[in-house]
Amino acid sequence: MNKDSKRYFSNLKLFIPIRGKNEQHLLENIKFRLDELNESNPHVKYEQICQELGAPQEVSSEYLYNMDTEYLVKRLRVSGYIRKAFIAFLIALVITVSVRSLYLYRLYQECKNEIIVYEEEYIE
């Protein structure tokens, strides 16, 4: 694939919000069509690809429009749960690392205060 084909394919992937088996088949079919276009015309431009296959926004909106609504809602809900779980995990990780760092810093301060830097000796 040339540079414009890769750009078209990456733009198309941006506009498809979910990744299931059906979406993977769609992307494979589009990639196959892009390969065919590149074989017939190795220097195909982005505008020519859009004329042949349709703009990435149009392809994704048409696909989502024809998709079963229940399937779409279910997939979006699952991806939302995964995103929220990932964010919760990151927040918990940041809190854990912060508490651990604070504990280690306080331990460092205690050790630093207990080290004898100089010693006074009185002779009587």
Side-chain angles (χ1 to χ4, degrees):
M1 282 200 295
N2 66 13
K3 184 177 167 183
D4 288 327
S5 297
K6 288 179 182 177
R7 190 175 96 193
Y8 180 87
F9 191 70
S10 66
N11 286 344
L12 180 65
K13 287 194 308 188
L14 284 175
F15 286 108
I16 297 179
I18 52 179
R19 296 282 193 278
K21 288 183 181 181
N22 296 335
E23 292 75 27
Q24 291 300 329
H25 289 300
L26 172 72
L27 292 174
E28 288 172 7
N29 289 338
I30 296 290
K31 194 167 193 172
F32 180 74
R33 292 288 310 269
L34 286 171
D35 288 338
E36 286 179 347
L37 281 173
N38 283 322
E39 286 177 11
S40 65
N41 183 4
H43 302 291
V44 66
K45 298 292 178 195
Y46 187 83
E47 292 78 21
Q48 294 170 334
I49 296 171
C50 288
Q51 287 176 354
E52 184 72 28
L53 300 177
Q57 299 91 334
E58 294 171 359
V59 172
S60 64
S61 67
E62 186 68 28
Y63 175 74
L64 294 173
Y65 179 75
N66 292 328
M67 181 184 285
D68 181 32
T69 307
E70 291 179 26
Y71 173 76
L72 179 61
V73 169
K74 180 182 172 187
R75 295 297 297 183
L76 288 174
R77 190 171 290 147
V78 167
S79 65
Y81 290 149
I82 291 171
R83 188 174 299 119
K84 288 175 185 174
F86 183 70
I87 290 171
F89 172 74
L90 285 178
I91 290 171
L93 183 66
V94 166
I95 290 171
T96 303
V97 168
S98 299
V99 169
R100 176 80 174 150
S101 297
L102 181 64
Y103 169 73
L104 290 175
Y105 180 73
R106 286 184 179 167
L107 187 63
Y108 167 74
Q109 290 295 336
E110 282 181 32
C111 291
K112 186 177 170 184
N113 290 336
E114 291 179 2
I115 294 176
I116 300 173
V117 179
Y118 62 92
E119 186 176 321
E120 291 184 15
E121 189 173 315
Y122 295 106
I123 303 175
E124 293 183 26

